[in-house]
Amino acid sequence: MKKKASSQKKLITRWKRKLFATLMFAFCLGSFVYFQARFNGIAASLKPRIDQKPQIAFLFIARNRLSLEFVWDSFFLGEDGKFSIYVHSRPGFVLSEATTQSKYFLNRQVNDSIQVEWGEATMIEAERVLLRHALKDPFNHRFVFLSDSCIPLYSFSYTYNYIMSTPTSFVDSFADTKDKRYNPRMNPVINVHNWRKGSQWVVLNRKHAEIVVNDTIVLPMFQHHCRRKSLPEFWRDRPVPAEGWKEHNCIPDEHYVQTLLAQKGVDSELTRRSLTHSAWDLTSSKSNERRGWHPMTYKFSDATPQLIQSIKGIDNINYETEYRREWCTSKGKPAPCFLFARKFTRPAALRLLRESILLRDKDQDS
């Protein structure tokens, strides 16, 4: 009897061991299958990114909605994987289906935008916000700043190849010896020899974008010592200071990136011109609204083939303060200076797009 009970006990023990071994095997097999499936899924999701070309990040600074989105829709069409879009608009504004008809701009606003005032350091702070977001994507290799009134002059393919053909950044940068905007209070942090001026519409490579985002020295100097002077009476929205004559006139976005990169000693890494055209010479204009501190705004009547061809035909830029003439090249050959232009109204852009004047490659213009 004892013998029988002992054999039954051994049988039960052996059965439990087999059951445990079977369960362990099933668990291991199931875990292997699960993790293999997860790995395959992750690998599949990463595969398009691994094969992806370097991207150009288009960084738009806008008030609210982008009124020229239809032009950019045509520009981006069929070029997925070669670009990304980031929009800085007023705090709280969302690019939803109610505010944009473009799939490219849908929900592309940054979620930590700030209120921007023209002529104040908030403009360069907004640029840094855009760069911080764009730098999170390792496939963004170039960073193009654009306004909500900008239009592309050529096709995406021509624009992409032009920008990516050189490792340099495109930064309009020249010695500022006429406007006397340098504030001596910036010395010695910012030496006058490093003071630069230029267009805020720059194209940065990744190294220079990181310099801008990581800056903790030059920015505070601009926030404290580079501010606009009170606007002329007909533009004034606040009382003139009692001692207005003591004000130091400085427009931060026309100096910050240029001066910062000069401070860092990377001038030789720049193509020192902008890729965005603006018309500043308004001396012949008879319209009061076209005179002032802002670039000319092109209206419907201005939007002609002759206008676009005149912009595309510019092949050099003269910098009087440096006695320097910048001849524009791409891939070592003569090339148009500008890929973008501003400021265009919605009717003007509609006319240009309807008449197929925009988004043509250089050889199509000849």
Side-chain angles (χ1 to χ4, degrees):
M1 207 50 194
K2 287 182 180 179
K3 204 170 188 179
K4 188 175 180 181
S6 176
S7 67
Q8 284 180 345
K9 191 174 181 181
K10 288 180 180 180
L11 187 64
I12 292 172
T13 303
R14 193 178 305 148
W15 180 83
K16 286 182 178 179
R17 286 176 180 173
K18 286 183 178 180
L19 179 62
F20 178 75
T22 302
L23 290 173
M24 284 298 294
F25 176 77
F27 174 77
C28 292
L29 181 63
S31 298
F32 174 78
V33 171
Y34 172 76
F35 286 111
Q36 185 70 18
R38 287 291 301 273
F39 175 80
N40 289 339
I42 293 172
S45 66
L46 288 177
K47 191 173 187 303
R49 300 290 285 176
I50 293 172
D51 298 337
Q52 186 172 336
K53 284 189 173 184
Q55 292 181 158
I56 296 177
F58 291 85
L59 313 179
F60 289 88
I61 296 179
R63 296 172 182 82
N64 296 304
R65 63 181 68 200
L66 290 148
S67 61
L68 307 186
E69 62 181 18
F70 56 91
V71 178
W72 293 100
D73 254 17
S74 299
F75 178 74
F76 291 127
L77 185 63
E79 302 294 346
D80 292 2
K82 297 179 185 177
F83 68 91
S84 58
I85 294 173
Y86 303 84
V87 181
H88 185 287
S89 52
R90 64 174 172 78
F93 182 80
V94 178
L95 287 163
S96 63
E97 291 182 353
T99 56
T100 180
Q101 297 180 358
S102 169
K103 67 176 182 179
Y104 298 115
F105 290 99
L106 188 64
N107 297 319
R108 295 311 302 161
Q109 76 286 338
V110 295
N111 58 10
D112 53 351
S113 62
I114 61 174
Q115 188 63 44
V116 174
E117 297 291 337
W118 179 81
E120 302 291 343
T122 50
M123 179 65 80
I124 57 179
E125 291 165 18
E127 293 173 353
R128 284 159 54 94
V129 169
L130 284 167
L131 284 175
R132 274 198 299 271
H133 283 271
L135 282 167
K136 291 177 183 178
D137 187 340
F139 290 93
N140 287 333
H141 285 217
R142 298 292 187 277
F143 306 82
V144 180
F145 281 102
L146 299 161
S147 77
D148 53 5
S149 64
C150 275
I151 60 170
L153 297 173
Y154 297 95
S155 69
F156 182 92
S157 176
Y158 182 83
T159 303
Y160 181 92
N161 291 332
Y162 191 117
I163 292 174
M164 301 300 292
S165 66
T166 174
T168 65
S169 295
F170 290 89
V171 179
D172 183 39
S173 178
F174 54 92
D176 178 24
T177 59
K178 285 188 174 182
D179 288 341
K180 298 181 180 179
R181 292 183 178 179
Y182 176 75
N183 191 336
R185 293 179 181 178
M186 292 181 170
N187 193 56
V189 177
I190 300 175
N191 190 290
V192 66
H193 298 296
N194 289 328
W195 185 248
R196 300 287 187 272
K197 184 180 179 181
S199 167
Q200 76 176 102
W201 311 112
V202 301
V203 177
L204 300 178
N205 63 25
R206 197 168 182 91
K207 174 185 175 180
H208 299 153
E210 289 172 346
I211 288 175
V212 173
V213 165
N214 294 329
D215 169 43
T216 58
I217 297 174
V218 174
L219 178 65
M221 289 292 102
F222 272 78
Q223 291 170 326
H224 289 95
H225 303 301
C226 181
R227 297 182 179 182
R228 73 179 185 189
K229 200 170 184 177
S230 296
L231 293 172
E233 185 175 357
F234 54 89
W235 274 335
R236 194 177 302 152
D237 59 0
R238 66 187 73 176
V240 176
E243 296 182 316
W245 59 275
K246 288 186 177 181
E247 289 187 297
H248 192 92
N249 189 36
C250 181
I251 309 299
D253 54 80
E254 293 181 0
H255 298 273
Y256 173 66
V257 171
Q258 292 82 355
T259 300
L260 172 62
L261 296 179
Q263 284 277 106
K264 293 293 184 179
V266 296
D267 269 349
S268 62
E269 300 174 12
L270 308 178
T271 298
R272 293 170 59 199
R273 59 183 174 87
S274 175
L275 295 183
T276 299
H277 178 270
S278 299
W280 289 92
D281 184 9
L282 310 182
T283 53
S284 62
S285 176
K286 296 180 180 179
S287 172
N288 286 332
E289 65 186 51
R290 293 190 173 199
R291 296 195 188 105
W293 293 358
H294 297 279
M296 176 178 179
T297 297
Y298 295 110
K299 300 180 180 180
F300 181 87
S301 59
D302 303 312
T304 63
Q306 291 75 24
L307 170 66
I308 299 303
Q309 284 304 119
S310 68
I311 297 173
K312 288 183 174 183
I314 299 172
D315 61 2
N316 72 90
I317 304 170
N318 184 34
Y319 292 93
E320 294 180 3
T321 62
E322 295 184 341
Y323 305 99
R324 171 173 64 94
R325 185 174 295 276
E326 188 81 24
W327 290 93
C328 304
T329 62
S330 177
K331 300 179 183 178
K333 298 179 181 179
C337 291
F338 300 110
L339 300 179
F340 313 99
R342 63 189 294 269
K343 302 167 57 173
F344 285 83
T345 63
R346 183 178 175 89
L350 275 168
R351 180 181 182 183
L352 293 173
L353 193 62
R354 187 180 66 238
E355 297 181 10
S356 301
I357 299 171
L358 297 179
L359 312 183
R360 296 160 61 92
D361 288 339
K362 182 175 178 293
D363 56 358
Q364 292 178 303
D365 291 324
S366 56

